[in-house]
Amino acid sequence: MFDQIKLSAWQAGLRGKLPQLSLPLRVELWNGERIDLSPDPPRVTIRIPGPAALRYLRSPSLYSLGRAYVEGAIEVMGRAADIIAIGNALAASGGVSGPDTRGGRLADALGLRKHHTRESDRDAIRYHYDVSNEFYAAWLDPGMVYSCAYFEGGDEDLATAQVKKIDHILRKIDLRPGQTLLDIGCGWGALALRAAEKFGARCVGITLSENQAALARERVAKAGLQDRIEIRLQDYRDVDGRFERITSVGMFEHVGVQHLKDYFARVADLLAPGGVAMNHGITTTDVDNGATPYGGGQFIDEYVFPQGELAHLATVVRAMQEGGLEVRDVENLRRHYAHTCALWTDNFESNAAHIRTLTDPKRFRIWHVYLAGCAYAFAHDRISLYQIVCGKTGSDVAQLPWSRRYMYA
């Protein structure tokens, strides 16, 4: 009885704080009682199995709600996009995280002191990527590209947009036949395959994921490109040699903010004189490199990307310069990644029955909300995605193109 009174107080307080918001949410209690927070039909239902679970609704944050759902303390039913939108509305209503990200920044400050050793980075990568290749194939495009797509007109399907993204990158670095290309964080090999097949490059792709390396090698062999592509299970810190072109797509988020200077210095060392590199990666929009609001960053750090850290664009550019790289071109693809994640979410939900057979219930719930949460964060300018083209500092000015026209030829 006492807990139900508290829940009623929470309901009244929420409506008082959000008088203009119609929240299509239904809360179902363990005794069969239903509480609707809108006169409209509910789009999301939260089922509370017992009084102890009420605490997640009294002081909601994206972390507490996400953790409760993932750990099975509450049941949540609805489309992932609706779940995330309502979760954000609940958190914004005055939960413990609130719009003030100081708590998140403290967590990030602690995160900056993480030790990004070869072993810890390898374990973090394998936690995220070695779920199974079948798991990722169930919701990615046929090329298995797990990074922001490029929607030139906005109406492309996912597969087309992913090919356009790879071509966009390879044109930006002005890749030419016979040149050597290092792809740091090569995933399942899609970029290396395209670079060799269409652009005639000689490629080395590196990853820390055993599953990715195995499938990438199979795809290279199937394409008959073993003489042009080598896939290595290797840390970027252990690569030797010089490469005329270097790409890093969706990888530097794992490096650690404090290690960005060293990371870009390593890229500069591996880049041949006159070479061109591109870093394509997610950034925070908080200028202090802080967490996303309402505990979203904390949830991702714990359940999705252990050891992952996001830097602001300004921090990235400075680290590049300090590491010996000159920034030559910057493009914001935030809208593209919001759409990419929305399409991944649709694919995930359309294939939910099959995906449930590929992983355990907890991991299914993690990914159910993670992909939609990313789409929401990109759409609302909490995180962004930048492609940054760079070369060695001090390069001859004649190596710089007069315009960006060559990228779109």
Side-chain angles (χ1 to χ4, degrees), residues 23-322:
L23 201 61
L25 170 66
R26 169 174 292 167
V27 179
E28 292 186 352
L29 300 182
W30 58 94
N31 60 5
E33 181 182 354
R34 293 178 174 180
I35 300 173
D36 289 335
L37 295 180
S38 169
D40 299 323
R43 301 173 71 176
V44 173
T45 297
I46 297 177
R47 184 169 297 153
I48 307 297
L54 289 176
R55 65 182 184 274
Y56 298 110
L57 295 181
R58 291 198 203 108
S59 54
S61 70
L62 294 180
Y63 172 73
S64 64
L65 291 172
R67 185 173 186 274
Y69 171 56
V70 165
E71 298 293 349
I74 61 175
E75 294 181 57
V76 183
M77 291 150 285
R79 291 181 61 251
D82 293 330
I83 291 171
I84 293 299
I86 287 176
N88 274 274
L90 290 173
S93 72
V96 292
S97 293
D100 187 344
T101 60
R102 286 176 295 181
R105 288 175 183 169
L106 174 61
D108 274 9
L110 294 173
L112 293 180
R113 293 193 286 272
K114 293 174 183 173
H115 296 291
H116 283 266
T117 65
R118 287 166 173 76
E119 293 73 22
S120 65
D121 287 349
R122 178 199 62 209
D123 292 344
I125 291 297
R126 292 180 181 176
Y127 168 83
H128 185 85
Y129 294 98
D130 284 352
V131 182
S132 75
N133 291 334
E134 293 76 15
F135 172 82
Y136 283 96
W139 50 273
L140 291 176
D141 68 291
M144 299 273 292
V145 183
Y146 182 35
S147 55
C148 175
Y150 180 63
F151 299 89
E152 201 169 15
D155 57 351
E156 295 90 345
D157 60 41
L158 182 59
T160 300
Q162 289 293 13
V163 173
K164 286 190 173 184
K165 183 271 299 296
I166 293 174
D167 286 352
H168 192 46
I169 289 174
L170 299 179
R171 283 195 299 265
K172 278 187 173 185
I173 62 173
D174 196 20
L175 184 63
R176 301 179 185 185
Q179 288 184 330
T180 54
L181 168 69
L182 172 65
D183 188 23
I184 302 174
C186 66
W188 292 276
L191 187 146
L193 285 163
R194 186 74 171 172
E197 287 178 322
K198 180 175 179 179
F199 292 80
R202 292 178 290 120
C203 308
V204 172
I206 63 171
T207 177
L208 293 178
S209 164
E210 292 182 343
N211 285 359
Q212 286 185 337
L215 182 55
R217 288 166 180 159
E218 288 180 17
R219 297 174 71 186
V220 169
K222 185 176 181 180
L225 293 170
Q226 302 96 316
D227 60 331
R228 294 193 210 171
I229 302 174
E230 179 187 1
I231 302 297
R232 301 177 184 170
L233 194 64
Q234 188 175 36
D235 191 289
Y236 73 91
R237 287 162 286 204
D238 298 325
V239 179
D240 294 319
R242 293 291 183 272
F243 300 86
E244 292 160 291
R245 299 292 187 266
I246 297 177
T247 52
S248 177
V249 181
M251 177 274 172
F252 94 129
E253 300 90 333
H254 301 282
V255 168
V257 176
Q258 283 189 326
H259 301 280
L260 287 178
K261 175 184 173 182
D262 294 337
Y263 170 70
F264 289 123
R266 187 70 193 129
V267 172
D269 287 343
L270 292 168
L271 194 62
V276 181
M278 168 185 277
N279 191 82
H280 166 121
I282 302 171
T283 61
T284 177
T285 55
D286 183 279
V287 295
D288 295 319
N289 303 317
T292 54
Y294 311 124
Q298 185 181 1
F299 176 83
I300 289 176
D301 184 59
E302 182 170 335
Y303 287 104
V304 186
F305 276 114
Q307 296 282 94
E309 299 174 32
L310 300 185
H312 188 268
L313 174 64
T315 301
V316 177
V317 170
R318 176 168 183 155
M320 282 185 164
Q321 190 73 33
E322 291 174 337

Side-chain angles (χ1 to χ4, degrees), residues 363-382:
R363 195 179 295 270
F364 177 90
R365 292 193 292 266
I366 291 172
W367 284 86
H368 183 218
V369 292
Y370 163 64
L371 293 173
C374 287
Y376 187 97
F378 281 113
H380 290 80
D381 197 24
R382 294 179 182 174

